[in-house]
Amino acid sequence: MDKIVLSGLKPEEIENLTKQIDDSKYRAQQISNWVYLKSVSSIDDMTNLSLKFREQLKNIATVTHTKIKRKQVSKDGTIKYLVEFADGQCVETVLMRFDNRANLTACVSSQVGCAVNCSFCATGKSGFVRNLTPSEIVEQVLTIQRDTGLKVTNVVFMGQGEPLLNLDNVLDAINILNTCCQISLRRITVSTSGIAKNVEKFALANSQSTLAWSLHAPTDEIRNKIMPINKKYSISEMVSALQNYIKITNNRITIEYLLIDKITDTFECAKNLAELLKKVKCNINLIPYNPVVENDYKKPSKSSIMKFKYILEHSGKKVTVRLERGADIDAACGQLRGKIAT
Ligand code: SAH
Ligand code: SF4
């Protein structure tokens, strides 16, 4: 019989399991704390359980099958893990620390590969393989906690995959991260390329986390060229879906905007973007393009980043420029491949 994997189980599921051994109620909570908060990797480490109970539990359960296949540390402190699941499939997970903040942010993947295939992103290049289960999404956070001995405080769904195309599992994972790992919903951000049909479901299920939209171009003409998903869900369709999201949740959304030299960083793009977002309750996060070998795009110049930012700020928006993290180990946005480069 295959052993039951504890990470990914909800407290009531752990309780059903421990009932097979004895019926003391508090065991499930103790085990949940060991798995999700103290992040042990073995039942032997659950030292407040009796030796006899641990032996019995070991007969039917194990903490995890997930392994770290590779770990790389950037000179800026960012750590990239290649995480391997029971069937041998791998994804990348990135841990970012920001100076002078106590936050530890995990950037997690939601799918192996990605079917959306944006022209600027390494993940989409080898196609879609499969969805991750809720447990496999949570395992990425636990892997970081087990390896570093530290507690993750923030989670961004900005690794490999399109979270809104694996929405049920992403929602389940968020629930476990919140209730078991004690990560506040407000510290969780889900980034989507723009799957308009699933935005309302996300809003109704989780009104507290932040939704970020990878807009990246202010007109359908430019967006069609760099993001094939735009042919399915146009900019105006997504804007209506987001207006509905804002009405349901009362949240401000985040607009992610990729600056690619001479393609999306022009004065005209900035003017059009400011006009497009005039009536949308949002903050804007500008992402300077990170080089990926599969295409010929170039990084924007420092001055075009500053000009772009100025024009948007002048239109009354709060604008930030995303710091490049871990580029020396290919851990920056868009550089995740999920395998060891050959
Ligand atoms: N699939 C989701 C989330 C993962 S990607 C989405 O697309 O939103 C996280 C962010 O990195 C997205 O905004 C994505 O467009 C951006 N990105 C992809 N490739 C990039 C690159 N080469 N340089 C900078 N950002 C990139
Ligand atoms: Fe998929 Fe996001 Fe990469 Fe586009 S940017 S290919 S949606 S992971």
Side-chain angles (χ1 to χ4, degrees):
M1 188 189 80
D2 278 348
K3 289 191 184 176
I4 292 173
V5 177
L6 295 173
S7 2
L9 293 189
K10 300 185 180 119
E12 60 273 20
E13 292 168 326
I14 301 181
E15 199 171 321
N16 287 337
L17 188 73
T18 54
K19 270 193 208 142
Q20 296 176 27
I21 304 173
D22 69 24
D23 49 30
S24 18
K25 272 215 161 311
Y26 58 91
R27 295 250 191 263
Q29 192 55 52
Q30 286 175 316
I31 294 170
S32 174
N33 289 351
W34 282 115
V35 172
Y36 295 112
L37 298 177
K38 294 177 195 149
S39 309
V40 294
S41 38
S42 143
I43 290 170
D44 288 324
D45 297 332
M46 301 182 178
T47 47
N48 60 358
L49 305 177
S50 71
L51 209 55
K52 183 166 164 240
F53 185 90
R54 276 183 263 162
E55 289 307 320
Q56 287 168 312
L57 186 61
K58 268 160 55 182
N59 288 333
I60 53 172
T62 180
V63 175
T64 179
H65 287 314
T66 305
K67 295 191 196 98
I68 297 175
K69 189 150 185 188
R70 187 186 195 190
K71 175 181 169 185
Q72 290 167 279
V73 183
S74 158
K75 52 181 190 287
D76 66 24
T78 299
I79 305 177
K80 181 170 83 167
Y81 297 91
L82 184 64
V83 174
E84 185 180 24
F85 299 117
D87 67 350
Q89 291 293 342
C90 296
V91 295
E92 285 176 311
T93 304
V94 179
L95 172 66
M96 294 168 286
R97 285 171 246 224
F98 294 98
D99 295 337
N100 64 41
R101 274 191 256 164
N103 295 352
L104 273 191
T105 302
C107 173
V108 299
S109 296
S110 54
Q111 298 180 314
V112 182
C114 182
V116 178
N117 200 14
C118 304
S119 64
F120 41 78
C121 171
T123 299
K125 297 301 163 208
S126 40
F128 171 72
V129 181
R130 69 168 176 84
N131 281 331
L132 295 187
T133 63
S135 153
E136 288 170 332
I137 296 171
V138 174
E139 276 285 19
Q140 296 170 63
V141 171
L142 297 180
T143 297
I144 291 174
Q145 295 190 162
R146 285 181 204 124
D147 184 60
T148 60
L150 300 168
K151 182 86 184 53
V152 166
T153 58
N154 296 53
V155 175
V156 293
F157 284 79
M158 294 188 187
Q160 291 159 271
E162 170 45 59
L164 291 201
L165 289 178
N166 185 19
L167 186 54
D168 289 337
N169 290 354
V170 165
L171 289 171
D172 262 5
I174 290 177
N175 183 262
I176 298 171
L177 290 170
N178 177 236
T179 55
C180 302
C181 299
Q182 297 179 359
I183 297 172
S184 148
L185 291 175
R186 297 248 167 242
R187 289 171 177 258
I188 298 178
T189 298
V190 173
S191 171
T192 179
S193 58
I195 312 299
K197 75 167 184 338
N198 289 346
V199 169
E200 179 166 279
K201 185 170 176 185
F202 180 73
L204 294 171
N206 177 357
S207 60
Q208 290 191 57
S209 297
T210 301
L211 182 64
W213 177 30
S214 299
L215 172 56
H216 301 346
T219 63
D220 285 325
E221 196 194 343
I222 305 175
R223 200 166 189 263
N224 282 341
K225 288 189 190 138
I226 59 174
M227 298 181 76
I229 193 73
N230 198 67
K231 292 182 188 142
K232 194 154 183 195
Y233 303 109
S234 65
I235 293 179
S236 62
E237 218 173 317
M238 252 317 269
V239 170
S240 318
L242 290 172
Q243 295 291 25
N244 181 42
Y245 170 90
I246 293 164
K247 207 159 78 196
I248 295 171
T249 63
N250 204 25
N251 285 349
R252 190 173 292 277
I253 57 158
T254 299
I255 296 289
E256 297 168 279
Y257 188 93
L258 183 63
L259 292 168
I260 308 176
D261 182 46
K262 297 193 179 56
I263 297 179
T264 60
D265 71 341
T266 61
F267 177 76
E268 214 188 349
C269 280
K271 284 282 187 205
N272 288 338
L273 185 63
E275 182 59 32
L276 174 69
L277 297 177
K278 225 162 53 187
K279 295 203 182 87
V280 181
K281 188 176 158 193
C282 64
N283 295 326
I284 302 169
N285 191 214
L286 298 175
I287 315 176
Y289 167 73
N290 296 309
V292 166
V293 289
E294 290 91 342
N295 61 53
D296 296 327
Y297 298 140
K298 299 215 162 36
K299 282 173 170 250
S301 66
K302 285 227 164 61
S303 72
S304 77
I305 299 174
M306 289 340 285
K307 269 190 227 157
F308 208 94
K309 183 168 186 269
Y310 178 79
I311 294 167
L312 292 174
E313 278 171 344
H314 197 69
S315 76
K317 297 290 183 200
K318 185 169 163 239
V319 188
T320 47
V321 179
R322 190 173 293 178
L323 286 174
E324 184 187 87
R325 308 291 300 186
D328 56 331
I329 54 165
D330 274 357
C333 296
Q335 296 182 322
L336 303 182
R337 283 195 168 69
K339 51 188 168 209
I340 297 173
T342 44

